[in-house]
Amino acid sequence: DSGVTQTPKHLITATGQRVTLRCSPRSGDLSVYWYQQSLDQGLQFLIQYYNGEERAKGNILERFSAQQFPDLHSELNLSSLELGDSALYFCASSASGGAGTQYFGPGTRLTVL
Amino acid sequence: AQSVSQHNHHVILSEAASLELGCNYSYGGTVNLFWYVQYPGQHLQLLLKYFSGDPLVKGIKGFEAEFIKSKFSFNLRKPSVQWSDTAEYFCAVTQAAGNKLTFGGGTRVLVKP
């Protein structure tokens, strides 16, 4: 158990819908990262938040957005869902905003039908 | 942009055999290197990491990796595998002062009992 929690574990929805994935970092960690794992794209970095502010952006679609709240939990919002958005979404956390070890949560498996 | 290559997509071996997984990265600057493991149905777990110092790094569960700067490589090794090592292994890189993990495509390892 890494100490990073994610809810829900599984999510099944339809195309065009909007979903919210939630992540709570390890106690004391200020950074939260979101990654997408799909069969065709592999593991890709989406976005990082540090202490409430966006720190780095990766291959995140405009239909996706994220935020980090004052209690440091983070939410990833996915809208206008397409079949290709079906994937495992992982959250990771680290103590600092820069280089450091990232600890991963169990992931949310999103299925878009 | 940095990239990570894992040359073997699938490896099948018997218990007690030795394992070596290749990882090469492309980035000219200083990097931090990681190996993560993903057991079936589970989240990513950190096996070992290299930030600086001794290029031979020992991790959990008997794994080790060697950083060879001149070859841009960070190969993972285990002298004698067990059935429980069946998993997918990911090499990942960040720039020294960076935070975005860039992952390789992963290597699925199947250990036959």
Side-chain angles (χ1 to χ4, degrees):
Chain A
D1 185 0
S2 66
V4 179
T5 61
Q6 289 186 249
T7 56
K9 278 190 175 179
H10 303 275
L11 203 45
I12 301 174
T13 188
T15 54
Q17 294 299 304
R18 173 189 168 95
V19 297
T20 297
L21 313 183
R22 183 189 167 106
C23 167
S24 293
R26 295 187 321 156
S27 176
D29 283 357
L30 298 178
S31 270
V32 169
Y33 307 77
W34 287 96
Y35 291 86
Q36 180 194 58
Q37 185 180 32
S38 62
L39 282 175
D40 52 345
Q41 302 276 0
L43 261 165
Q44 288 201 89
F45 167 76
L46 295 177
I47 197 164
Q48 178 202 2
Y49 275 81
Y50 175 71
N51 206 19
E53 294 193 3
E54 184 183 303
R55 177 63 69 98
K57 222 168 184 176
N59 300 323
I60 188 166
L61 300 171
E62 283 191 14
R63 300 183 285 109
F64 295 1
S65 65
Q67 54 185 324
Q68 187 179 27
F69 294 86
D71 67 352
L72 300 177
H73 90 270
S74 177
E75 293 181 355
L76 179 68
N77 300 297
L78 315 177
S79 61
S80 303
L81 285 168
E82 302 174 0
L83 295 177
D85 297 328
S86 296
L88 255 175
Y89 291 85
F90 286 109
C91 166
S93 75
S94 70
S96 72
T101 302
Q102 295 178 29
Y103 296 91
F104 282 77
T108 293
R109 182 171 292 281
L110 173 66
T111 303
V112 182
L113 301 175
Chain B
Q2 63 201 34
S3 64
V4 180
S5 298
Q6 292 182 241
H7 311 296
N8 308 100
H9 296 294
H10 293 91
V11 172
I12 301 173
L13 55 165
S14 300
E15 277 193 313
S18 64
L19 173 70
E20 180 159 359
L21 303 181
C23 171
N24 286 89
Y25 65 93
S26 65
Y27 178 67
T30 305
V31 294
N32 298 323
L33 298 149
F34 305 82
W35 276 97
Y36 283 88
V37 61
Q38 189 175 28
Y39 297 104
Q42 295 191 27
H43 62 286
L44 288 158
Q45 298 176 40
L46 181 68
L47 269 181
L48 49 78
K49 61 188 178 185
Y50 173 80
F51 282 12
S52 64
D54 188 344
L56 185 60
V57 180
K58 293 196 183 302
I60 61 171
K61 306 189 181 192
F63 285 90
E64 65 178 30
E66 185 176 13
F67 171 50
I68 303 179
K69 191 174 179 180
S70 61
K71 294 186 177 180
F72 297 89
S73 71
F74 189 56
N75 292 352
L76 181 71
R77 297 192 291 252
K78 185 170 185 178
S80 176
V81 296
Q82 301 171 320
W83 173 80
S84 58
D85 293 321
T86 294
E88 189 159 16
Y89 293 80
F90 292 91
C91 180
V93 170
T94 65
Q95 297 175 25
N99 37 33
K100 300 191 288 186
L101 276 168
T102 299
F103 284 90
T107 300
R108 288 183 187 266
V109 174
L110 173 62
V111 180
K112 293 183 173 180

